[in-house]
Coordinates of all heavy atoms in Angstrom, one line a residue:
M3 N 128.3 -26.1 21.0 CA 127.3 -26.3 22.1 C 127.3 -27.8 22.5 O 127.2 -28.7 21.6 CB 125.9 -25.8 21.6 CG 124.8 -26.3 22.5 SD 123.6 -25.1 23.1 CE 124.4 -23.5 23.1
K4 N 127.3 -28.1 23.8 CA 127.3 -29.4 24.3 C 125.9 -29.7 24.9 O 125.1 -28.8 25.2 CB 128.4 -29.6 25.3 CG 129.8 -29.4 24.8 CD 130.6 -30.5 25.1 CE 132.0 -30.4 24.4 NZ 132.8 -29.3 25.0
C5 N 125.7 -31.0 25.1 CA 124.4 -31.4 25.7 C 124.1 -30.7 27.0 O 123.1 -30.2 27.3 CB 124.4 -32.9 26.0 SG 124.4 -33.8 24.4
K6 N 125.2 -30.6 27.8 CA 125.0 -29.9 29.2 C 124.6 -28.4 29.0 O 123.9 -27.9 29.8 CB 126.1 -30.2 30.1 CG 127.4 -29.5 29.8 CD 128.4 -29.8 31.0 CE 129.8 -29.3 30.8 NZ 130.2 -28.2 30.2
D7 N 125.2 -27.8 27.9 CA 124.8 -26.4 27.7 C 123.2 -26.3 27.3 O 122.6 -25.3 27.7 CB 125.6 -25.8 26.6 CG 127.1 -25.9 26.9 OD1 127.4 -25.5 28.1 OD2 127.9 -26.2 26.0
V8 N 122.8 -27.3 26.5 CA 121.4 -27.3 26.1 C 120.5 -27.4 27.4 O 119.6 -26.6 27.6 CB 121.1 -28.4 25.1 CG1 119.7 -28.5 24.8 CG2 121.9 -28.2 23.8
V9 N 120.9 -28.3 28.2 CA 120.1 -28.5 29.4 C 120.1 -27.2 30.3 O 119.1 -26.9 30.9 CB 120.7 -29.7 30.3 CG1 120.0 -29.8 31.6 CG2 120.5 -31.0 29.4
K10 N 121.3 -26.6 30.4 CA 121.5 -25.4 31.2 C 120.5 -24.3 30.7 O 119.9 -23.5 31.5 CB 122.9 -24.9 31.1 CG 123.3 -24.1 32.3 CD 124.8 -23.8 32.3 CE 125.2 -22.8 31.2 NZ 126.5 -22.6 30.9
E11 N 120.4 -24.2 29.4 CA 119.6 -23.1 28.8 C 118.2 -23.5 28.5 O 117.4 -22.7 28.0 CB 120.2 -22.6 27.5 CG 121.7 -22.3 27.6 CD 121.9 -21.0 28.4 OE1 120.9 -20.3 28.8 OE2 123.1 -20.7 28.8
L12 N 117.8 -24.7 28.9 CA 116.6 -25.3 28.5 C 115.3 -24.4 28.9 O 114.4 -24.2 28.2 CB 116.4 -26.8 29.1 CG 115.3 -27.6 28.6 CD1 115.4 -27.7 27.0 CD2 115.3 -29.0 29.2
A13 N 115.3 -24.1 30.2 CA 114.2 -23.3 30.7 C 113.9 -22.0 29.9 O 112.8 -21.7 29.5 CB 114.4 -23.0 32.2
D14 N 115.0 -21.3 29.7 CA 114.9 -20.1 28.9 C 114.5 -20.4 27.5 O 113.7 -19.6 26.9 CB 116.2 -19.3 29.0 CG 116.5 -18.5 30.2 OD1 115.5 -18.4 31.0 OD2 117.6 -18.2 30.5
Y15 N 115.1 -21.5 26.9 CA 114.8 -21.8 25.5 C 113.3 -22.1 25.5 O 112.6 -21.6 24.5 CB 115.5 -23.1 25.1 CG 115.2 -23.6 23.8 CD1 115.5 -23.0 22.6 CD2 114.5 -24.8 23.7 CE1 115.2 -23.5 21.4 CE2 114.1 -25.3 22.5 CZ 114.4 -24.7 21.4 OH 114.1 -25.1 20.1
L16 N 112.7 -22.8 26.4 CA 111.3 -23.2 26.3 C 110.4 -22.0 26.6 O 109.3 -21.8 26.2 CB 111.0 -24.3 27.3 CG 111.6 -25.6 26.8 CD1 111.3 -26.7 28.0 CD2 111.0 -26.1 25.5
D17 N 111.0 -21.0 27.3 CA 110.3 -19.8 27.7 C 110.3 -18.8 26.5 O 109.7 -17.8 26.6 CB 110.9 -19.1 28.9 CG 110.1 -19.4 30.1 OD1 109.1 -20.0 30.1 OD2 110.6 -18.9 31.2
E18 N 111.2 -19.2 25.5 CA 111.4 -18.3 24.4 C 112.0 -16.9 24.9 O 111.7 -15.9 24.4 CB 110.1 -18.1 23.6 CG 109.6 -19.4 23.1 CD 108.6 -19.3 22.0 OE1 108.2 -18.2 21.6 OE2 108.1 -20.4 21.5
A19 N 112.7 -17.0 26.0 CA 113.4 -15.8 26.6 C 114.9 -15.8 26.2 O 115.6 -15.1 26.8 CB 113.1 -15.8 28.1
L20 N 115.3 -16.6 25.2 CA 116.6 -16.8 25.0 C 117.1 -15.8 23.9 O 116.4 -15.5 23.0 CB 116.9 -18.2 24.6 CG 118.2 -18.9 25.0 CD1 118.4 -18.8 26.5 CD2 118.1 -20.3 24.5
D21 N 118.4 -15.4 24.1 CA 119.1 -14.7 23.1 C 119.0 -15.4 21.7 O 119.2 -16.6 21.7 CB 120.5 -14.6 23.5 CG 121.4 -13.8 22.6 OD1 121.5 -12.6 22.7 OD2 122.0 -14.5 21.7
P22 N 118.6 -14.7 20.6 CA 118.4 -15.4 19.3 C 119.6 -16.3 18.8 O 119.4 -17.3 18.3 CB 118.1 -14.3 18.4 CG 117.8 -13.2 19.1 CD 118.4 -13.3 20.5
T23 N 120.8 -15.8 19.1 CA 122.0 -16.5 18.8 C 122.2 -17.8 19.5 O 122.4 -18.9 19.0 CB 123.3 -15.6 19.1 OG1 123.1 -14.2 18.7 CG2 124.5 -16.1 18.3
L24 N 121.9 -17.7 20.8 CA 122.0 -18.9 21.7 C 120.9 -19.9 21.3 O 121.0 -21.1 21.2 CB 121.8 -18.5 23.1 CG 122.4 -19.3 24.2 CD1 123.9 -19.6 23.9 CD2 122.2 -18.6 25.5
R25 N 119.7 -19.3 20.9 CA 118.6 -20.1 20.5 C 118.9 -20.9 19.2 O 118.6 -22.1 19.1 CB 117.4 -19.2 20.2 CG 116.1 -19.8 20.0 CD 115.0 -18.9 19.8 NE 113.9 -19.7 19.5 CZ 113.1 -20.3 20.4 NH1 113.4 -20.1 21.7 NH2 112.1 -21.0 20.1
M26 N 119.6 -20.2 18.3 CA 120.0 -20.9 17.0 C 121.0 -22.0 17.3 O 120.9 -23.1 16.7 CB 120.6 -19.9 16.1 CG 119.6 -19.5 15.0 SD 120.1 -18.1 14.0 CE 121.7 -18.6 13.4
S27 N 121.9 -21.8 18.3 CA 122.9 -22.8 18.5 C 122.2 -24.0 19.1 O 122.6 -25.2 18.8 CB 123.9 -22.3 19.6 OG 124.3 -21.1 19.3
I28 N 121.2 -23.8 20.0 CA 120.5 -24.9 20.6 C 119.7 -25.7 19.5 O 119.8 -26.9 19.5 CB 119.5 -24.4 21.6 CG1 120.3 -23.9 22.9 CG2 118.5 -25.5 22.1 CD1 119.4 -23.6 24.1
E29 N 119.1 -24.9 18.6 CA 118.3 -25.6 17.6 C 119.2 -26.4 16.6 O 118.9 -27.5 16.2 CB 117.4 -24.6 16.8 CG 116.1 -24.4 17.5 CD 115.3 -23.2 17.1 OE1 115.8 -22.5 16.2 OE2 114.3 -23.0 17.8
E30 N 120.4 -25.9 16.4 CA 121.4 -26.6 15.6 C 121.8 -27.9 16.3 O 121.8 -28.9 15.7 CB 122.6 -25.7 15.4 CG 123.4 -26.0 14.2 CD 124.7 -25.2 14.1 OE1 124.5 -24.0 14.0 OE2 125.7 -25.8 14.1
H31 N 122.1 -27.8 17.6 CA 122.4 -28.9 18.4 C 121.3 -29.9 18.4 O 121.5 -31.1 18.2 CB 122.8 -28.5 19.7 CG 123.2 -29.6 20.6 ND1 124.5 -30.0 20.9 CD2 122.5 -30.6 21.3 CE1 124.5 -31.1 21.7 NE2 123.3 -31.5 21.9
L32 N 120.1 -29.5 18.5 CA 118.9 -30.4 18.6 C 118.7 -31.2 17.3 O 118.3 -32.3 17.2 CB 117.6 -29.6 18.8 CG 117.4 -29.0 20.2 CD1 116.2 -28.2 20.4 CD2 117.5 -30.1 21.3
G33 N 119.2 -30.4 16.2 CA 119.1 -31.1 14.8 C 120.0 -32.3 14.8 O 119.8 -33.2 14.0
N34 N 121.1 -32.3 15.6 CA 122.1 -33.3 15.4 C 122.1 -34.3 16.6 O 122.7 -35.3 16.6 CB 123.4 -32.7 15.4 CG 123.6 -31.8 14.2 OD1 123.2 -32.1 13.1 ND2 124.2 -30.7 14.4
C35 N 121.3 -34.0 17.7 CA 121.4 -34.7 18.9 C 120.0 -35.2 19.4 O 119.2 -34.5 19.8 CB 122.1 -33.9 20.0 SG 122.2 -34.8 21.6
K36 N 119.9 -36.5 19.1 CA 118.6 -37.1 19.4 C 118.3 -37.0 20.9 O 117.1 -36.8 21.3 CB 118.5 -38.6 18.9 CG 117.2 -39.2 19.0 CD 117.2 -40.5 18.2 CE 116.0 -41.3 18.4 NZ 115.9 -42.1 19.6
D37 N 119.3 -37.3 21.7 CA 119.1 -37.3 23.2 C 118.5 -36.0 23.7 O 117.6 -36.0 24.4 CB 120.4 -37.5 23.9 CG 120.9 -38.9 23.8 OD1 120.1 -39.8 23.4 OD2 122.1 -39.2 24.1
C38 N 119.1 -34.8 23.1 CA 118.6 -33.6 23.6 C 117.2 -33.3 23.0 O 116.4 -32.7 23.7 CB 119.5 -32.5 23.2 SG 121.0 -32.4 24.2
R39 N 116.9 -33.8 21.8 CA 115.5 -33.6 21.3 C 114.5 -34.3 22.2 O 113.4 -33.7 22.5 CB 115.4 -34.2 19.9 CG 115.9 -33.2 18.8 CD 115.2 -33.5 17.5 NE 115.4 -34.9 17.1 CZ 116.4 -35.3 16.4 NH1 117.4 -34.5 16.1 NH2 116.5 -36.6 16.0
V40 N 114.9 -35.5 22.7 CA 114.0 -36.2 23.6 C 113.8 -35.4 24.8 O 112.6 -35.3 25.3 CB 114.5 -37.6 24.0 CG1 113.8 -38.3 25.0 CG2 114.5 -38.5 22.7
V41 N 114.9 -34.9 25.4 CA 114.7 -34.1 26.7 C 113.9 -32.9 26.5 O 112.9 -32.6 27.3 CB 116.1 -33.6 27.2 CG1 116.0 -32.6 28.3 CG2 117.0 -34.8 27.6
V42 N 114.1 -32.1 25.4 CA 113.3 -30.9 25.1 C 111.8 -31.4 24.9 O 110.9 -30.7 25.4 CB 113.8 -30.2 23.8 CG1 112.9 -29.1 23.3 CG2 115.2 -29.6 24.1
D43 N 111.6 -32.4 24.1 CA 110.1 -32.8 23.9 C 109.5 -33.2 25.2 O 108.3 -32.7 25.4 CB 110.1 -33.9 22.9 CG 110.3 -33.5 21.5 OD1 110.2 -32.2 21.2 OD2 110.3 -34.3 20.6
T44 N 110.1 -33.9 26.0 CA 109.5 -34.4 27.2 C 109.2 -33.3 28.1 O 108.2 -33.1 28.7 CB 110.5 -35.4 27.9 OG1 111.0 -36.3 27.0 CG2 109.8 -36.1 29.1
T45 N 110.3 -32.3 28.2 CA 110.0 -31.2 29.1 C 108.9 -30.3 28.6 O 108.0 -29.8 29.4 CB 111.3 -30.3 29.2 OG1 112.4 -31.2 29.4 CG2 111.2 -29.3 30.3
K46 N 108.8 -30.1 27.3 CA 107.8 -29.3 26.7 C 106.3 -29.9 27.0 O 105.4 -29.2 27.4 CB 107.9 -29.3 25.2 CG 107.9 -27.9 24.6 CD 107.8 -28.0 23.1 CE 109.1 -27.5 22.5 NZ 109.1 -27.6 21.0
Q47 N 106.3 -31.2 26.8 CA 105.0 -31.9 27.1 C 104.6 -31.8 28.6 O 103.4 -31.5 28.9 CB 105.1 -33.4 26.7 CG 104.9 -33.6 25.3 CD 105.3 -35.0 24.8 OE1 105.3 -36.0 25.7 NE2 105.5 -35.2 23.6
T48 N 105.6 -31.9 29.4 CA 105.3 -31.8 30.9 C 104.8 -30.4 31.2 O 103.8 -30.2 31.9 CB 106.6 -32.0 31.7 OG1 107.2 -33.2 31.2 CG2 106.2 -32.2 33.1
I49 N 105.4 -29.4 30.6 CA 105.0 -28.0 30.8 C 103.5 -27.8 30.3 O 102.7 -27.2 31.0 CB 105.9 -27.0 30.2 CG1 107.3 -27.1 30.9 CG2 105.4 -25.6 30.1 CD1 108.4 -26.3 30.2
D50 N 103.3 -28.3 29.0 CA 102.0 -28.2 28.5 C 100.9 -28.8 29.4 O 99.8 -28.2 29.6 CB 102.0 -28.9 27.1 CG 102.6 -28.1 26.1 OD1 102.9 -26.9 26.3 OD2 102.8 -28.6 24.9
I51 N 101.2 -30.0 29.9 CA 100.2 -30.7 30.8 C 99.9 -29.8 32.0 O 98.8 -29.6 32.3 CB 100.7 -32.0 31.2 CG1 100.7 -33.0 29.9 CG2 99.9 -32.6 32.3 CD1 101.4 -34.3 30.1
F52 N 101.0 -29.3 32.6 CA 100.8 -28.4 33.8 C 100.1 -27.1 33.5 O 99.2 -26.8 34.3 CB 102.2 -28.0 34.3 CG 102.7 -28.9 35.4 CD1 103.7 -29.8 35.2 CD2 102.1 -28.9 36.7 CE1 104.2 -30.7 36.1 CE2 102.5 -29.8 37.6 CZ 103.6 -30.7 37.4
C53 N 100.3 -26.5 32.4 CA 99.7 -25.2 32.1 C 98.2 -25.5 31.7 O 97.4 -24.5 31.9 CB 100.4 -24.6 30.9 SG 102.1 -24.0 31.5
N54 N 97.9 -26.6 31.0 CA 96.5 -26.8 30.5 C 95.6 -27.4 31.5 O 94.4 -27.4 31.3 CB 96.6 -27.6 29.3 CG 97.3 -26.8 28.1 OD1 97.2 -25.6 28.1 ND2 98.0 -27.6 27.3
S55 N 96.2 -28.0 32.6 CA 95.3 -28.8 33.5 C 94.8 -27.8 34.5 O 95.5 -27.0 35.2 CB 96.1 -29.9 34.1 OG 97.1 -29.4 35.0
E56 N 93.4 -27.7 34.5 CA 92.8 -26.9 35.6 C 92.3 -27.9 36.6 O 91.9 -29.0 36.3 CB 91.7 -26.1 35.0 CG 92.2 -25.0 34.2 CD 91.2 -24.3 33.3 OE1 90.0 -24.4 33.7 OE2 91.6 -23.6 32.3
P57 N 92.2 -27.4 37.8 CA 91.5 -28.3 38.8 C 90.2 -28.7 38.4 O 89.3 -27.8 37.9 CB 91.4 -27.4 40.1 CG 91.9 -26.1 39.7 CD 92.5 -26.1 38.3
A58 N 89.8 -30.0 38.4 CA 88.6 -30.5 37.9 C 87.5 -29.9 38.8 O 87.6 -29.9 40.0 CB 88.6 -32.0 37.8
P59 N 86.4 -29.4 38.2 CA 85.4 -28.9 39.0 C 84.6 -30.1 39.7 O 84.5 -31.1 39.1 CB 84.4 -28.2 38.0 CG 84.8 -28.7 36.7 CD 86.2 -29.2 36.8
L60 N 84.3 -29.8 41.0 CA 83.7 -30.9 41.7 C 82.2 -31.1 41.3 O 81.5 -30.1 41.2 CB 83.7 -30.6 43.2 CG 85.1 -30.6 43.9 CD1 84.9 -30.2 45.3 CD2 85.7 -32.0 43.8
S61 N 81.8 -32.4 41.1 CA 80.4 -32.6 40.8 C 79.6 -32.4 42.1 O 80.1 -32.4 43.2 CB 80.2 -34.0 40.3 OG 80.5 -34.9 41.2
E62 N 78.3 -32.2 41.9 CA 77.5 -31.8 43.1 C 77.6 -32.9 44.2 O 77.8 -32.6 45.4 CB 76.0 -31.6 42.6 CG 75.3 -30.8 43.6 CD 75.9 -29.5 44.1 OE1 76.3 -28.7 43.2 OE2 76.1 -29.3 45.2
P63 N 77.4 -34.2 43.8 CA 77.5 -35.2 44.9 C 78.8 -35.3 45.6 O 78.9 -35.5 46.8 CB 77.2 -36.6 44.1 CG 76.6 -36.2 42.8 CD 77.1 -34.8 42.6
T64 N 79.9 -35.1 44.8 CA 81.2 -35.1 45.4 C 81.4 -33.9 46.4 O 82.0 -34.1 47.5 CB 82.3 -35.0 44.3 OG1 82.0 -35.9 43.3 CG2 83.7 -35.3 44.9
R65 N 80.9 -32.8 46.0 CA 81.0 -31.7 46.8 C 80.2 -31.9 48.1 O 80.7 -31.5 49.2 CB 80.4 -30.4 46.0 CG 80.9 -29.1 46.6 CD 79.9 -28.0 46.3 NE 79.6 -27.9 44.8 CZ 80.2 -27.1 44.0 NH1 81.1 -26.2 44.4 NH2 79.9 -27.1 42.7
E66 N 79.1 -32.5 47.9 CA 78.2 -32.7 49.1 C 78.9 -33.7 50.0 O 78.9 -33.4 51.3 CB 76.8 -33.3 48.6 CG 75.9 -33.4 49.7 CD 75.5 -32.1 50.4 OE1 75.6 -31.0 49.7 OE2 75.2 -32.1 51.6
R67 N 79.5 -34.8 49.5 CA 80.2 -35.7 50.4 C 81.4 -35.1 51.0 O 81.6 -35.3 52.3 CB 80.7 -36.9 49.5 CG 79.7 -38.0 49.3 CD 80.5 -39.4 49.2 NE 81.4 -39.4 48.1 CZ 81.2 -39.5 46.8 NH1 79.9 -39.8 46.4 NH2 82.1 -39.5 45.9
L68 N 82.1 -34.2 50.4 CA 83.2 -33.6 51.0 C 82.8 -32.7 52.1 O 83.4 -32.7 53.1 CB 83.9 -32.8 49.9 CG 85.3 -32.2 50.2 CD1 86.3 -33.3 50.3 CD2 85.7 -31.3 49.1
H69 N 81.7 -32.0 51.8 CA 81.1 -31.1 52.8 C 80.7 -31.8 54.1 O 81.1 -31.5 55.2 CB 79.9 -30.4 52.2 CG 79.4 -29.2 52.9 ND1 78.3 -28.4 52.6 CD2 80.0 -28.5 54.0 CE1 78.2 -27.5 53.5 NE2 79.2 -27.5 54.3
Q70 N 80.0 -32.9 53.9 CA 79.6 -33.8 55.0 C 80.8 -34.3 55.8 O 80.9 -34.3 57.0 CB 78.8 -35.0 54.6 CG 77.4 -34.6 54.0 CD 76.5 -33.8 54.8 OE1 76.6 -34.0 56.1 NE2 75.8 -32.9 54.3
A71 N 81.8 -34.7 55.1 CA 83.0 -35.2 55.7 C 83.7 -34.2 56.6 O 84.2 -34.5 57.7 CB 84.0 -35.8 54.6
L72 N 83.7 -33.0 56.0 CA 84.4 -31.9 56.7 C 83.6 -31.5 58.0 O 84.1 -31.3 59.1 CB 84.4 -30.7 55.8 CG 85.6 -30.6 54.8 CD1 85.4 -29.5 53.9 CD2 86.9 -30.6 55.5
I73 N 82.2 -31.5 57.9 CA 81.4 -31.2 59.0 C 81.7 -32.2 60.1 O 81.8 -31.9 61.3 CB 79.9 -31.1 58.6 CG1 79.7 -29.9 57.7 CG2 79.0 -31.1 59.8 CD1 78.3 -29.7 57.1
K74 N 81.6 -33.5 59.7 CA 81.8 -34.5 60.7 C 83.1 -34.3 61.4 O 83.2 -34.4 62.7 CB 81.9 -35.9 59.9 CG 80.5 -36.7 60.1 CD 80.7 -38.1 59.6 CE 79.5 -38.5 58.9 NZ 79.7 -39.7 58.1
R75 N 84.1 -34.1 60.7 CA 85.4 -34.0 61.2 C 85.5 -32.8 62.2 O 86.2 -32.8 63.2 CB 86.5 -33.8 60.1 CG 87.9 -33.8 60.5 CD 88.8 -34.1 59.4 NE 88.6 -35.4 58.9 CZ 89.6 -36.1 58.2 NH1 90.8 -35.5 58.0 NH2 89.4 -37.3 57.8
L76 N 84.9 -31.7 61.8 CA 84.9 -30.5 62.6 C 84.2 -30.7 63.9 O 84.6 -30.2 64.9 CB 84.3 -29.3 61.8 CG 85.2 -28.7 60.7 CD1 84.4 -27.7 60.0 CD2 86.4 -28.1 61.3
R77 N 83.1 -31.4 63.8 CA 82.3 -31.7 65.0 C 83.0 -32.5 66.0 O 82.7 -32.5 67.2 CB 80.9 -32.4 64.6 CG 80.0 -31.4 64.1 CD 78.6 -32.1 63.9 NE 77.7 -31.1 63.3 CZ 76.7 -31.5 62.4 NH1 76.5 -32.8 62.2 NH2 75.9 -30.6 61.9
R78 N 83.9 -33.4 65.5 CA 84.6 -34.3 66.4 C 85.6 -33.6 67.2 O 86.0 -34.1 68.2 CB 85.3 -35.4 65.5 CG 85.2 -36.8 66.2 CD 85.9 -37.8 65.3 NE 85.2 -38.1 64.0 CZ 85.8 -38.5 63.0 NH1 87.1 -38.7 62.9 NH2 85.2 -38.8 61.9
R79 N 85.9 -32.3 66.8 CA 86.9 -31.6 67.6 C 86.3 -31.2 68.9 O 85.1 -30.8 69.0 CB 87.3 -30.4 66.8 CG 88.3 -30.8 65.8 CD 88.9 -29.5 65.2 NE 90.0 -29.8 64.3 CZ 90.4 -28.9 63.5 NH1 90.1 -27.6 63.6 NH2 91.4 -29.2 62.6
P80 N 87.0 -31.1 70.0 CA 86.5 -30.7 71.3 C 86.1 -29.2 71.2 O 86.7 -28.4 70.5 CB 87.7 -30.9 72.2 CG 88.9 -31.1 71.4 CD 88.5 -31.4 70.0
Ligands
ZN128 ZN1 122.8 -33.1 23.0

């Protein structure tokens, strides 16, 4: 397995949708290749951030300001 093969299978690997044999080859490669470990870790972290971040709920004053701004903007239309 080469670095570019790891990258090619990365999405499936992180999805845990990979064939177990292929998965083992990747893990073996990761054990020997620091570059790929960095890539895998970084990608994993990025995915975690995306999956865990929910849109922040708007606080009442923010919502109010947004509302007012929208109303103003709508009124300006002909
Ligand atoms: Zn590699």
Side-chain angles (χ1 to χ4, degrees):
M3 166 131 335
K4 300 238 172 62
C5 294
K6 69 172 171 42
D7 299 320
V8 174
V9 172
K10 206 174 73 190
E11 307 293 348
L12 190 58
D14 281 344
Y15 173 72
L16 292 174
D17 257 358
E18 303 191 357
L20 213 54
D21 181 88
T23 320
L24 207 52
R25 192 180 174 79
M26 255 166 60
S27 316
I28 289 186
E29 271 161 9
E30 203 185 302
H31 180 98
L32 290 178
N34 300 316
C35 181
K36 191 167 170 274
D37 287 347
C38 284
R39 276 208 302 275
V40 171
V41 171
V42 169
D43 279 353
T44 314
T45 313
K46 231 192 247 175
Q47 276 168 23
T48 312
I49 291 171
D50 282 351
I51 290 167
F52 265 107
C53 291
N54 293 330
S55 66
E56 286 169 22
L60 291 176
S61 67
E62 201 52 50
T64 312
R65 201 203 307 262
E66 190 57 32
R67 270 210 307 276
L68 193 68
H69 196 183
Q70 295 302 327
L72 280 173
I73 288 173
K74 257 188 218 164
R75 186 163 294 205
L76 286 173
R77 279 190 186 147
R78 220 180 288 157
R79 282 191 178 170

